[in-house]
Amino acid sequence: MLIVGGPYPPWNSRTPPSPQGARFLRSLDELSFGRSEWSGQPLFVDEFELPPRHDDEQGGAPDYALLWNERLWMIELKTESASHRPDQLAGYYALAGHHHPGLAVDLTYLTPPLTFTPPAGRDGTKFAHVTWTQILPLLDEVWGEGTDEERHILTMLLAALDSIGSNWSHWRAQRVAARRDEPPAVEETAMALAEATGRDGLQRAVDHPATDLDQLQRLRLALRHAICTSPEQSPLRHVQPWLWSATTSGGIALTASGRDTGFELRLSRYQKPVC
């Protein structure tokens, strides 16, 4: 909200950053890569979709991205060291190179103090690891003297960042609805909907308020694996789980979560088996 200077944008939508948001991002860019000049204003994306290259791949969704005609800068955020996945960053590079060939691809990894092996370097790519402590002065410099609303949001943000560490999970559980990554009930509900679609052919959507696009991608892949291990003659084998997007798929959302985020998990039946 601070970066775009307005309401929280739908996932994967392109929005020009506000002047203050651009100022902060320039500072983060310089901290990451030593850059200070931009070739025009970029478009900012929250939950940047990197679709899978085939049905049995999860896909990726860096938390933030900035897009220029010649450059893609991805920003992945972590609040807990335990959520680091060794293959995640390399996967972002691979998918970005596939879907955005010809662009220089940079990646900033913004985390608590963390020891890990950086992804292998590639031609035309840059990588930077930045800690939350390093960006605190940048946030205060840009929004510390902002409007009352901006200062209120900044105060909440700084309180959250101050709680990152051993008590982060407790802090989050106290202030927001604590959710498990993939509650079993979600997959059970999705499978029940898939079975119904296998029987009657009606397209359905799973109303799952995922915390981010990455979580929705994991649910799609888990559901596909379950479908592909069902008996060969099962109607389930004809059901394809896929991600509907408000910006690329056409039509309207079928669920409340789809209207909120611009993405939802759909189930469609095909004449031939999908796996």
Side-chain angles (χ1 to χ4, degrees):
M1 293 170 65
L2 289 174
I3 289 175
V4 301
Y8 182 78
W11 291 349
N12 199 47
S13 57
R14 275 62 170 163
T15 308
S18 69
Q20 294 87 350
R23 182 181 165 195
F24 165 73
L25 291 166
R26 279 179 181 269
S27 297
L28 180 58
D29 198 7
E30 186 169 3
L31 177 63
S32 299
F33 309 109
R35 297 176 184 267
S36 59
E37 297 295 330
W38 286 358
S39 59
Q41 288 297 321
L43 292 175
F44 173 80
V45 185
D46 180 77
E47 295 296 328
F48 181 60
E49 184 185 22
L50 293 171
R53 291 165 291 187
H54 52 81
D55 288 335
D56 290 311
E57 185 175 53
Q58 177 180 308
D63 292 291
Y64 297 157
L66 281 92
L67 283 163
W68 292 262
N69 290 333
E70 73 289 345
R71 180 189 179 204
L72 165 61
W73 175 25
M74 300 178 289
I75 305 170
E76 177 66 13
L77 315 177
K78 293 291 184 188
T79 54
E80 296 176 327
S81 299
S83 65
H84 171 76
R85 303 201 308 271
D87 60 344
Q88 184 177 23
L89 304 178
Y92 287 168
Y93 276 129
L95 290 169
H98 176 79
H99 292 295
H100 302 277
L103 296 188
V105 179
D106 301 330
L107 174 59
T108 294
Y109 197 30
L110 183 54
T111 77
L114 176 64
T115 300
F116 67 100
T117 301
R122 304 184 182 195
D123 291 341
T125 67
K126 291 185 178 180
F127 176 78
H129 180 215
V130 177
T131 65
W132 289 104
T133 302
Q134 289 177 277
I135 73 162
L136 295 180
L138 309 184
L139 295 168
D140 186 66
E141 181 181 356
V142 174
W143 288 291
E145 300 297 330
T147 65
D148 290 345
E149 183 179 10
E150 288 172 342
R151 290 199 303 272
H152 175 65
I153 295 174
L154 179 61
T155 298
M156 296 173 62
L157 174 60
L158 294 178
L161 296 181
D162 187 57
S163 296
I164 288 177
S166 60
N167 64 337
W168 166 252
S169 297
H170 177 67
W171 186 96
R172 181 175 59 185
Q174 285 185 320
R175 291 163 177 80
V176 298
R179 297 171 178 168
R180 295 166 60 190
D181 276 353
E182 295 293 351
V186 174
E187 289 190 17
E188 291 171 6
T189 299
M191 280 298 291
L193 293 174
E195 290 170 352
T197 292
R199 291 192 299 269
D200 61 25
L202 297 178
Q203 185 180 103
R204 289 175 169 84
V206 182
D207 192 5
H208 175 43
T211 56
D212 53 41
L213 182 53
D214 182 77
Q215 188 182 92
L216 203 59
Q217 289 171 327
R218 292 200 304 272
L219 177 60
R220 181 204 68 83
L221 188 59
L223 190 60
R224 175 174 170 80
H225 285 170
I227 287 171
C228 291
T229 56
S230 62
E232 288 190 6
Q233 301 305 316
S234 170
L236 265 177
R237 287 290 187 116
H238 294 259
V239 178
Q240 179 77 288
W242 57 282
L243 295 188
W244 174 87
S245 166
T247 58
T248 60
S249 302
I252 61 174
L254 301 180
T255 66
S257 58
R259 290 188 291 273
D260 289 341
T261 65
F263 278 82
E264 64 189 6
L265 180 62
R266 294 276 181 98
L267 301 160
S268 298
R269 190 179 74 180
Y270 291 83
Q271 184 174 1
K272 295 182 178 180
V274 298
C275 53

